[in-house]
């Protein structure tokens, strides 16, 4: 088998953390080419190009300072140049940039390439709907796309603290290749076939994390936050069942599901900025600029995109937590109104009859894992 060439499209803190893993695995496994390209949006840091700094010092001094990126990872400022010979394209950029990147790459990649999306979010489409990022990449570039989502705070992955992740991949031949590209002794991979559910979990948990941040900002304690997490998880499950049917309930027990939800609601940037939103009275946009060092906040954008579809389908009342988070982010509700949302959640008023139907359709807690 010819060695696979790898390109990482994106170089924020998560992209740089993944570059540490992919670069190290490419050096030690015969199935991959040693040289890994990483597309870096060019910026000037103290008068010097960021790509030059990365290639000379092997450190992303802006987005992942203090961590060494392997020398075989080469920073490239042109996305077409970075991706042109790649067999595996790893997408790890804010989801707002995916359409532009895909239009730039169209016709400039190998027709046999495959994608692996680490991008968490949705994109609006005309008519009141939303689309999964992996579907956009696949449709625009005419390549198959798998996804990776999990309880993976970039700073902890970079510190090589043990964690798990989930890869959603339907191709039984590519699944072990993707697993071997990503897995290390401290970063353990489980591959499942339930791709859409994996990706939805990675996007929707950021909405719930905003709710958790509002609770922290209000000083309401862990019991209230636990209620937000639980109700948020149930809305995530219902959302997948309604809009991306055919998923497995057991997928929500993988790292991409409940684990990612918990860690994001306690340690992620969406929680952190949402807490500051309540305490400071500043806008989400102001706090993003002040607190994230150039990174993008996904939760409020995802809440807006989800609400765009729910509103068009007259289903806002079916997802009251998602809806409340959106209206708080845009200033139509106060953060304290979230508590009324929780208190009056349909589950508390009507019991669990509606959810029982969802769980029955999604099947028993049977493992969705691929046989590798």
């Amino acid at each position: 088998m010819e060695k696979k060439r790898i390109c990482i499209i994106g170089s924020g803190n998560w992209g740089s953390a993944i570059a540490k893993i992919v670069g190290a695995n490419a050096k030690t496994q015969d199935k991959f080419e040693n040289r890994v390209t990483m597309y870096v949006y060019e910026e000037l840091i103290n008068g010097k190009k960021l790509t030059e700094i990365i290639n000379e010092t092997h450190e992303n001094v802006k987005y992942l300072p203090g961590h060494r990126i392997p020398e075989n990872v080469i920073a490239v400022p042109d996305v077409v140049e970075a991706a042109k010979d790649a067999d595996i394209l790893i997408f790890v950029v804010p989801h707002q940039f995916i359409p532009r990147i895909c239009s730039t790459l169209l016709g400039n990649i190998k027709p046999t390439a495959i994608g692996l999306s680490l991008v968490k979010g949705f994109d609006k489409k005309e008519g009141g709907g939303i689309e999964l990022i992996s579907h956009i990449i696949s449709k625009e570039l005419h390549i198959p796309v798998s996804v990776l989502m999990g309880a993976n705070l970039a700073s902890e992955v970079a510190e090589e603290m043990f964690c798990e992740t989930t890869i959603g991949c339907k191709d039984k031949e590519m699944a072990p290749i993707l697993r071997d590209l990503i897995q290390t002794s401290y970063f353990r991979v489980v591959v499942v076939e339930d791709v859409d559910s994996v990706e939805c979990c990675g996007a929707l948990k950021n909405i719930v994390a905003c709710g958790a941040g509002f609770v922290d900002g209000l000083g309401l304690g862990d019991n209230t936050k636990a209620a937000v997490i639980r109700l948020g998880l149930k809305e995530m499950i219902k959302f997948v069942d309604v809009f991306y049917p055919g998923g497995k309930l057991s997928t929500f027990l993988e790292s991409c599901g409940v684990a990612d939800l918990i860690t994001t609601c306690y340690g992620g940037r969406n929680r952190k900025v949402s807490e500051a939103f309540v305490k400071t009275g500043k806008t989400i946009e102001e706090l993003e600029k002040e607190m994230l060092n150039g990174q993008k906040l996904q939760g409020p954008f995802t809440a807006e995109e989800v609400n765009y579809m729910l509103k068009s389908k007259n289903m806002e009342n079916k997802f009251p937590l998602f809806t409340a988070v959106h209206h708080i982010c845009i200033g139509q509700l106060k953060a304290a109104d979230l508590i009324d949302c929780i208190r009056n959640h349909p589950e508390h008023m009507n019991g669990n009859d509606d959810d029982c139907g969802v769980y029955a359709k999604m099947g028993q807690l049977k493992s969705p894992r691929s046989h590798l």
Side-chain angles (χ1 to χ4, degrees), residues 261-309:
L261 177 62
I262 292 170
T263 196
T264 306
C265 286
Y266 278 91
R269 71 183 72 159
N270 290 282
R271 187 219 62 80
K272 182 179 179 181
V273 172
S274 296
E275 179 183 13
F277 174 78
V278 176
K279 289 182 174 179
T280 66
K282 295 180 180 179
T283 66
I284 293 291
E285 292 77 12
E286 290 172 330
L287 292 167
E288 183 182 61
K289 291 177 182 178
E290 291 179 13
M291 300 175 66
L292 298 186
N293 191 34
Q295 298 176 79
K296 292 294 182 182
L297 196 66
Q298 297 301 310
F301 288 106
T302 304
E304 179 186 4
E305 289 155 351
V306 166
N307 188 259
Y308 172 74
M309 182 164 72

Side-chain angles (χ1 to χ4, degrees), residues 151-362:
N152 309 141
L153 296 179
S155 60
E156 295 183 11
V157 174
E159 291 284 356
E160 302 186 8
M161 299 178 182
F162 180 83
C163 67
E164 302 172 314
T165 199
T166 309
I167 290 179
C169 178
K170 295 179 181 178
D171 187 331
K172 286 182 169 58
E173 291 185 6
M174 285 308 304
I177 294 173
L178 294 176
R179 179 199 60 195
D180 292 347
L181 178 61
I182 299 295
Q183 183 158 267
T184 72
S185 61
Y186 64 89
F187 195 68
R188 307 305 289 178
V189 175
V190 169
V191 181
V192 305
E193 297 178 355
D194 191 6
V195 181
D196 287 354
S197 296
V198 171
E199 185 168 4
C200 284
C201 283
L204 295 172
K205 56 93 181 183
N206 284 328
I207 304 176
V208 185
C210 289
F214 298 150
V215 169
D216 288 341
L218 293 166
L220 294 176
D222 287 338
N223 290 340
T224 306
K225 188 191 285 192
V228 168
I229 293 172
R230 188 186 74 84
L231 293 170
L233 177 61
K234 298 195 81 170
E235 289 195 13
M236 288 167 59
I237 293 169
K238 183 184 290 187
F239 184 92
V240 172
D241 179 68
V242 171
F243 297 110
Y244 298 94
K248 301 290 186 182
L249 186 60
S250 52
T251 302
F252 293 86
L253 299 183
E254 298 291 347
S255 182
C256 63
V258 65
D260 195 10
L261 177 62
I262 292 170
T263 196
T264 306
C265 286
Y266 278 91
R269 71 183 72 159
N270 290 282
R271 187 219 62 80
K272 182 179 179 181
V273 172
S274 296
E275 179 183 13
F277 174 78
V278 176
K279 289 182 174 179
T280 66
K282 295 180 180 179
T283 66
I284 293 291
E285 292 77 12
E286 290 172 330
L287 292 167
E288 183 182 61
K289 291 177 182 178
E290 291 179 13
M291 300 175 66
L292 298 186
N293 191 34
Q295 298 176 79
K296 292 294 182 182
L297 196 66
Q298 297 301 310
F301 288 106
T302 304
E304 179 186 4
E305 289 155 351
V306 166
N307 188 259
Y308 172 74
M309 182 164 72
L310 294 179
K311 189 172 183 179
S312 72
K313 298 181 181 299
N314 197 30
M315 295 184 69
E316 286 180 293
N317 64 326
K318 298 289 187 181
F319 298 88
L321 182 62
F322 290 172
T323 300
V325 167
H326 168 63
H327 288 300
I328 291 168
C329 286
I330 63 175
Q332 290 185 356
L333 288 176
K334 296 180 179 179
D337 293 331
L338 182 69
I339 307 310
D340 286 333
C341 160
I342 297 171
R343 184 181 294 115
N344 299 318
H345 197 281
E347 177 182 298
H348 296 151
M349 309 300 288
N350 304 319
N352 295 313
D353 292 344
D354 184 55
D355 289 334
C356 287
V358 170
Y359 299 150
K361 283 190 290 182
M362 296 189 82

Side-chain angles (χ1 to χ4, degrees), residues 5-279:
R5 295 184 177 92
I6 314 300
C7 171
I8 302 168
I9 299 175
S11 59
N13 64 340
W14 187 210
S16 298
I18 283 295
K20 279 191 63 178
I21 291 172
V22 171
N25 284 342
K27 283 198 297 185
T28 58
Q29 297 188 41
D30 289 340
K31 65 184 70 175
F32 305 115
E33 286 284 352
N34 179 70
R35 184 177 186 267
V36 175
T37 56
M38 179 171 69
Y39 165 60
V40 176
Y41 178 77
E42 194 70 277
E43 301 178 64
L44 291 178
I45 309 296
N46 296 325
K48 191 168 186 178
K49 293 179 178 179
L50 182 56
T51 52
E52 293 178 358
I53 295 172
I54 293 173
N55 289 332
E56 291 173 8
T57 68
H58 308 292
E59 178 184 354
N60 189 332
V61 294
K62 180 168 184 180
Y63 296 111
L64 197 68
H67 295 280
R68 185 172 179 81
I69 296 173
E71 294 180 7
N72 61 318
V73 177
I74 309 301
V76 180
D78 184 320
V79 69
V80 172
E81 179 66 24
K84 65 179 182 181
D85 295 321
D87 298 293
I88 300 175
L89 300 166
I90 301 175
F91 293 86
V92 55
V93 295
H95 74 277
Q96 302 94 312
F97 301 144
I98 285 294
R100 177 175 58 82
I101 286 175
C102 286
S103 65
T104 303
L105 289 176
L106 181 61
N108 293 306
I109 61 172
K110 295 173 75 168
T112 55
I114 67 165
L116 178 64
S117 174
L118 281 62
V119 183
K120 298 181 177 180
F122 299 102
D123 195 46
K124 292 180 184 178
K125 61 181 181 182
E126 292 184 8
I130 58 176
E131 197 164 10
L132 292 173
I133 299 301
S134 67
H135 291 190
I136 295 172
I137 297 171
S138 182
K139 181 178 66 176
E140 294 297 322
L141 297 181
H142 314 297
I143 61 173
V145 180
S146 299
V147 301
L148 181 152
M149 306 284 158
N152 309 141
L153 296 179
S155 60
E156 295 183 11
V157 174
E159 291 284 356
E160 302 186 8
M161 299 178 182
F162 180 83
C163 67
E164 302 172 314
T165 199
T166 309
I167 290 179
C169 178
K170 295 179 181 178
D171 187 331
K172 286 182 169 58
E173 291 185 6
M174 285 308 304
I177 294 173
L178 294 176
R179 179 199 60 195
D180 292 347
L181 178 61
I182 299 295
Q183 183 158 267
T184 72
S185 61
Y186 64 89
F187 195 68
R188 307 305 289 178
V189 175
V190 169
V191 181
V192 305
E193 297 178 355
D194 191 6
V195 181
D196 287 354
S197 296
V198 171
E199 185 168 4
C200 284
C201 283
L204 295 172
K205 56 93 181 183
N206 284 328
I207 304 176
V208 185
C210 289
F214 298 150
V215 169
D216 288 341
L218 293 166
L220 294 176
D222 287 338
N223 290 340
T224 306
K225 188 191 285 192
V228 168
I229 293 172
R230 188 186 74 84
L231 293 170
L233 177 61
K234 298 195 81 170
E235 289 195 13
M236 288 167 59
I237 293 169
K238 183 184 290 187
F239 184 92
V240 172
D241 179 68
V242 171
F243 297 110
Y244 298 94
K248 301 290 186 182
L249 186 60
S250 52
T251 302
F252 293 86
L253 299 183
E254 298 291 347
S255 182
C256 63
V258 65
D260 195 10
L261 177 62
I262 292 170
T263 196
T264 306
C265 286
Y266 278 91
R269 71 183 72 159
N270 290 282
R271 187 219 62 80
K272 182 179 179 181
V273 172
S274 296
E275 179 183 13
F277 174 78
V278 176
K279 289 182 174 179

